Amino acid sequence: MAAQKALSLTVPDIPTLLSAYMPFLDRGGIFVPTQTPYELGQQVFLLLTLPEDESERLSITGQVVWVSPEGVSGRRMPGIGLHFSQQDYPVRDRIEALLAGQLDKAAPSFTL
């Protein structure tokens, strides 16, 4: 498996967070747009900035569980889906608090 890589993601607003969040993963996850190729199972370190507090960067160590390669069709953009690690439950809870009442809406997402 390839070495751990680092990414940074600033989510500008709640609708974007809703499209990027992956609630169907047990520990939560997020789609990160990137043109860099990644492999399924690869460990990635992410610095995440949520729309509620642009001065705070949350550190996440995730595992790649979704890959949308460059040239993907439809509404999709190139990027990866990261499954949060067990120590990232507080980040998942924070995201879900921001998205309270919206997670069950059938809005299109960057993944499914």
Side-chain angles (χ1 to χ4, degrees):
M1 193 177 315
Q4 185 177 33
K5 294 189 178 182
L7 288 170
S8 178
L9 175 64
T10 298
V11 181
D13 52 40
I14 297 297
T16 302
L17 181 60
L18 185 60
S19 293
Y21 183 58
M22 301 169 78
F24 50 86
L25 298 174
D26 62 341
R27 295 184 303 270
I30 196 155
F31 180 82
V32 182
T34 181
Q35 305 256 340
T36 305
Y38 288 83
E39 299 172 19
L40 290 175
Q42 187 172 355
Q43 288 278 321
V44 175
F45 178 75
L46 174 67
L47 290 174
L48 176 65
T49 305
L50 295 174
E52 66 170 7
D53 186 0
E54 295 180 14
S55 64
E56 183 179 9
R57 296 173 88 185
L58 306 169
S59 349
I60 296 166
T61 302
Q63 184 177 30
V64 176
V65 295
W66 180 276
V67 176
S68 290
E70 192 168 352
V72 67
S73 64
R75 177 182 182 271
R76 309 275 184 241
M77 65 177 68
I80 57 173
L82 290 182
H83 190 188
F84 298 157
S85 64
Q86 285 186 321
Q87 66 261 26
D88 296 322
Y89 277 119
V91 175
R92 180 200 65 183
D93 293 345
R94 209 155 149 191
I95 290 171
E96 290 188 357
L98 283 171
L99 299 176
Q102 299 182 56
L103 286 174
D104 56 351
K105 294 181 182 174
S109 73
F110 295 130
T111 54
L112 296 176

